[in-house]
Amino acid sequence: VRGGPVIAVDGPAAAGKGTLARRLAEALGLPYLDTGLLYRAVGRLALDAGRDPADPAQDIAQTLSPEALRRPDLRAPEVAVAASKVAAQPLVRAALVETQRRFARERGAVLDGRDIGTVIFPDADFKLFITASPATRALRRFLQMGGDATAPDARQKLADMEETLRARDAADAGRETAPLCIADDACVIETDTLDAAAVLAEALRLARARLAGQPAG
Ligand code: CDP
Ligand code: CDP
């Protein structure tokens, strides 16, 4: 028995999952967990140790400390790639399942990631799949990282970013364990033409309708 509702937010890279999940949690008074940080921290520590992130990394996942999740350098592009490589390892994923489930136990939670609605909480109270075209997502990540869309090389940088995101999405969707995919009972929000406030409004409308009649968190 959980102390509050569990809301799963999944989707491809830079779709706006984290931005939405954080605001949704705030609006509903629920704790928020960015599960990508778990894989990013494992990837970061593998790189620090001079290891290939494709090599077995379960020892790192099994001993992950809260401090490792608070490192300021987890958003770097090379860490995202390393995260995706360690995330393809079944033993790494297995080591992180309990942490994610425990997080929601007391008060419920909003969690964002790739497999929250499919593997971590298949019985979540409400599931969202947040997506946008690769071009939109590339622009979002480019701007988020301080890129200047009016610079002479912006076109090339956006094309490179799009290719990088596509490659990571393909790896995440193509892996055998907990691949990125839409849960059968998820609500899909296409966000190409929606800003973050509009996505939040739509998600809140759907969440409130779905959670109505359930005990509040
Ligand atoms: O967590 P995920 O990688 O899916 O994306 P994010 O880091 O939450 O969002 C990527 C960027 O897109 C952030 O700078 C957001 O402000 C921006 N954005 C958004 O989240 N939602 C929109 N509908 C439009 C832009
Ligand atoms: O913010 P962005 O969408 O770019 O990435 P993230 O959510 O921080 O996730 C980084 C990587 O961790 C993803 O590309 C996945 O390979 C992995 N991940 C995962 O496998 N399962 C999750 N629940 C969350 C992240």
Side-chain angles (χ1 to χ4, degrees), residues 7-25 32 110-118 126-134 136-138 140-141 165 169 172 180-183 185-207:
I7 299 181
V9 180
D10 291 305
K17 305 178 297 296
T19 302
L20 170 67
R22 181 175 293 108
R23 293 179 184 196
L24 200 53
Y32 163 59
V110 181
L111 303 92
D112 83 287
R114 300 292 183 289
D115 64 336
I116 306 305
T118 52
F126 178 51
K127 301 179 186 178
L128 279 169
F129 192 91
I130 303 301
T131 188
S133 67
T136 296
R137 296 188 285 108
R140 286 180 185 166
R141 184 54 41 91
L165 295 183
D169 290 343
D172 290 346
L180 167 67
C181 66
I182 307 177
D185 51 350
C187 294
V188 179
I189 305 183
E190 294 272 357
T191 68
D192 282 275
T193 59
L194 301 177
D195 65 14
V199 178
L200 174 65
E202 175 64 359
L204 267 177
R205 191 182 67 76
L206 293 166

Side-chain angles (χ1 to χ4, degrees), residues 5-6 36-37 44-46 49 55 71 74 81 110 131 135 154-155 173-174:
V6 168
L37 283 184
R44 175 77 264 173
L45 290 168
D55 288 345
R71 286 177 57 156
L74 298 181
V81 174
V110 181
T131 188
R155 208 195 237 293

Side-chain angles (χ1 to χ4, degrees), residues 30-213:
L30 293 170
Y32 163 59
L33 181 64
D34 173 355
T35 68
L37 283 184
L38 300 168
Y39 299 92
R40 285 175 180 263
V42 175
R44 175 77 264 173
L45 290 168
L47 292 176
D48 288 352
R51 291 160 56 166
D52 180 342
D55 288 345
Q58 64 267 23
D59 58 313
I60 302 177
Q62 284 156 2
T63 55
L64 205 59
S65 70
E67 294 74 56
L69 302 180
R70 287 196 288 266
R71 286 177 57 156
D73 52 0
L74 298 181
R75 296 288 168 196
E78 71 270 20
V79 178
V81 174
S84 183
K85 289 186 176 158
V86 299
Q89 301 175 30
L91 293 178
V92 166
R93 304 199 72 85
L96 300 174
V97 167
E98 197 44 36
T99 303
Q100 296 171 78
R101 293 193 178 144
R102 202 181 327 115
F103 184 84
R105 203 156 286 157
E106 253 179 60
R107 300 202 287 131
V110 181
L111 303 92
D112 83 287
R114 300 292 183 289
D115 64 336
I116 306 305
T118 52
V119 173
I120 304 298
F121 289 105
D123 63 342
D125 298 275
F126 178 51
K127 301 179 186 178
L128 279 169
F129 192 91
I130 303 301
T131 188
S133 67
T136 296
R137 296 188 285 108
L139 178 61
R140 286 180 185 166
R141 184 54 41 91
F142 176 79
L143 295 175
Q144 183 181 34
M145 301 196 59
D148 173 7
T150 66
D153 61 349
R155 208 195 237 293
Q156 185 58 48
K157 284 193 168 156
L158 282 169
D160 292 348
M161 176 66 79
E162 187 173 325
E163 186 43 44
T164 302
L165 295 183
R166 275 183 192 272
R168 183 150 60 90
D169 290 343
D172 290 346
R175 69 188 175 212
E176 269 185 42
T177 308
L180 167 67
C181 66
I182 307 177
D184 291 337
D185 51 350
C187 294
V188 179
I189 305 183
E190 294 272 357
T191 68
D192 282 275
T193 59
L194 301 177
D195 65 14
V199 178
L200 174 65
E202 175 64 359
L204 267 177
R205 191 182 67 76
L206 293 166
R208 287 187 168 129
R210 185 66 59 97
L211 299 177

